[in-house]
Amino acid sequence: MITSTEHINGLISDLRLQAVDFNKLFNGRKSLTPLESVELFLKEELQLKIDKQNRSRQKNAKLPYTKTIAAFDFGFQRSVTKEQMLQLSDMTWVEQAYNICFLGPPGVGKTHLAISLAVEGLNKGYIVAFETLENLIKILKTCEITTSSRRRLKYLQKATLIIIDEVGFMPLNATEANLFFSFISAMSEKTSLIITSNKGFDEWADFLGDQTITTAILDRLVHHCEIINMTGNSYRLEHHKSITG
């Protein structure tokens, strides 16, 4: 004979709801009215749905690791302040499709700060995506011939915030530079971008290979943009750990 719990779980499955631990949910709440019991159950289902969506967004963001503003060493890196980052962490600029560019030499914390803002965005419910420029170019070059690239590009196109990391570390040929321009142009005014680059804007033509296309990319990128120039020594080199101690 099917028990009431088994029957309810069957109905939950048929309705494509998530399984609920009723003993835990109603523990200490035996005096609830029928309507209050239904309300509590629906609230639990809503929270489970939100949690599932959050896990999915975090997975699809493809952050290489998790970083926070609180973990950043502002004492070591003084070219950006904690107050600046806390102001940006309210993420209101995403609603206006503003961009942020972190510029500076390797190891000064550009990617750390970019990822910390990505984490804030995820926590606030935004669709976030992370790509190095190298991988972005690979996606753009293969989206018409591979399913994985096509699927990833569709996700990027619906994202509200995209981090493009390591811009300037690799030179682009003419085809790749045009693909990068087309992507930036398509995102302009509708999607916020966070760019990290080891090159100042005056050096972008060197790796893009064309001054005209460089000007066109920067024109779209910096129209509404917070530019943060970071200086100093590499944090990783200063705090390296020796194998032998």
Side-chain angles (χ1 to χ4, degrees):
M1 182 177 178
I2 298 177
T3 66
S4 295
T5 299
E6 290 172 336
H7 189 211
I8 290 172
N9 284 333
L11 292 171
I12 287 175
S13 178
D14 291 340
L15 291 169
R16 296 186 178 180
L17 300 176
Q18 297 191 66
V20 174
D21 185 340
F22 288 106
N23 291 328
K24 181 179 179 180
L25 182 63
F26 290 104
N27 183 38
R29 295 187 171 102
K30 299 187 183 299
S31 61
L32 293 178
T33 66
L35 281 178
E36 288 172 337
S37 297
V38 172
E39 181 184 20
L40 182 62
F41 168 72
L42 293 176
K43 283 182 177 179
E44 178 69 8
E45 282 292 336
L46 178 59
Q47 187 58 55
L48 290 172
K49 181 179 180 180
I50 292 172
D51 292 343
K52 183 178 180 181
Q53 290 174 337
N54 287 341
R55 289 193 299 271
S56 177
R57 286 187 299 101
Q58 289 168 1
K59 178 182 178 181
N60 289 326
K62 293 189 176 182
L63 300 183
Y65 42 77
T66 298
K67 293 289 186 180
T68 64
I69 293 172
F72 190 77
D73 190 347
F74 291 97
F76 180 81
Q77 175 51 260
R78 297 180 179 275
S79 56
V80 60
T81 68
K82 187 174 184 179
E83 288 70 26
Q84 279 179 286
M85 293 307 301
L86 289 176
Q87 185 175 355
L88 292 173
S89 70
D90 67 10
M91 307 307 288
T92 54
W93 48 275
V94 175
E95 298 295 335
Q96 302 167 6
Y98 268 63
N99 304 318
I100 298 176
C101 290
F102 292 104
L103 308 178
V108 295
K110 304 183 299 295
T111 302
H112 180 137
L113 293 179
I115 289 177
S116 70
L117 291 176
V119 170
E120 292 290 339
L122 286 169
N123 291 339
K124 288 178 169 58
Y126 292 109
I127 300 175
V128 176
F130 179 99
E131 296 292 348
T132 62
L133 178 59
E134 181 179 10
N135 202 55
L136 174 63
I137 294 299
K138 189 182 299 182
I139 291 167
L140 296 175
K141 289 170 73 174
T142 61
C143 63
E144 294 184 0
I145 57 176
T146 68
T147 302
S148 60
S149 292
R150 185 161 54 251
R151 186 182 301 120
R152 185 59 177 170
L153 181 58
K154 286 183 179 179
Y155 189 82
L156 293 173
Q157 289 169 339
K158 71 177 183 179
T160 44
L161 173 62
I162 300 172
I163 296 87
I164 306 177
D165 195 35
E166 299 181 351
V167 173
F169 280 82
M170 53 171 276
L172 304 184
N173 61 38
T175 298
E176 293 167 340
N178 275 287
L179 286 171
F180 186 42
F181 164 72
S182 295
F183 182 80
I184 295 296
S185 183
M187 298 299 106
S188 181
E189 305 291 342
K190 77 178 189 68
T191 302
S192 285
L193 302 175
I194 297 179
I195 304 289
T196 75
S197 177
N198 66 325
K199 308 287 187 185
F201 289 146
D202 58 339
E203 302 174 277
W204 277 36
D206 295 338
F207 71 87
L208 289 171
D210 184 279
Q211 184 61 57
T212 301
I213 203 164
T214 300
T215 301
I217 289 173
L218 291 177
D219 180 65
R220 287 156 178 77
L221 187 61
V222 305
H223 181 53
H224 295 119
C225 186
E226 181 77 11
I227 302 169
I228 300 177
N229 289 292
M230 301 176 68
T231 59
N233 299 323
S234 168
Y235 184 89
R236 290 187 291 271
L237 291 179
E238 289 281 340
H239 296 81
H240 80 280
K241 295 181 179 179
S242 171
I243 295 174
T244 59

